[in-house]
Amino acid sequence: MNAIILSAVWGVVLMYLGIIMKKKSSAKYVAILGMVLLIVANWLEFAGLPFFDINTRGMLQFGTFGLLFNTIAFVSTLVYFMLSGSDMEQVGNNVYDYFALIFFVLCGVAIVSSFQSLLMLFIGIEIISIPLYILAG
């Protein structure tokens, strides 16, 4: 649950920072900070210390496989941000929005990796696919 809530909140924070901040070069560092926080929060949940204890009525189960898969996805995204974050700054004025969309995709990945009902699978796939349509367009 840590990864779902934290990635969605960090995506919203990045969108608002895109409005406030005029300096595009700091977007990469804010995104990297968010990824480090996401990895730490995921490992804390793996250790049995979740930040958020929300009753999902059995629709999500955060087991070892899902948390390990999330960690691999988050570390891969962190490496991607570190390697190509400066290239993303050359895309245009909406650099913060691109990073925010990636955080929303990670929110969907965290839902899909821990679903227990088909409804949550559908919601997770939708949360993954809509930002990807925007990024690809």
Side-chain angles (χ1 to χ4, degrees), residues 6 10 31-44 51:
L6 203 61
W10 202 261
I32 288 174
L33 175 68
M35 285 309 305
V36 170
L37 288 175
L38 221 76
I39 292 169
V40 168
N42 197 49
W43 273 106
L44 284 175
F51 293 150

Side-chain angles (χ1 to χ4, degrees), residues 14 18 34-35 42 59 66 69-71 77 91 96 100 106 111-112:
L14 279 168
M35 285 309 305
N42 197 49
M59 291 192 288
F69 181 81
N70 287 344
T71 303
T77 307
V91 172
Y96 285 94
L106 290 175
I111 291 173
V112 168

Side-chain angles (χ1 to χ4, degrees), residues 1-66:
M1 186 60 73
N2 289 350
I4 295 170
I5 295 175
L6 203 61
S7 63
V9 167
W10 202 261
V12 172
V13 165
L14 279 168
M15 286 191 330
Y16 280 115
L17 282 177
I19 297 169
I20 297 170
M21 303 281 285
K22 299 299 178 194
K23 192 175 182 183
K24 294 190 306 183
S25 62
S26 62
K28 171 184 169 182
Y29 301 111
V30 173
I32 288 174
L33 175 68
M35 285 309 305
V36 170
L37 288 175
L38 221 76
I39 292 169
V40 168
N42 197 49
W43 273 106
L44 284 175
E45 187 166 359
F46 192 73
L49 301 167
F51 293 150
F52 310 103
D53 189 24
I54 298 172
N55 186 6
T56 60
R57 310 251 190 247
M59 291 192 288
L60 294 173
Q61 180 181 359
F62 303 98
T64 306
F65 173 76

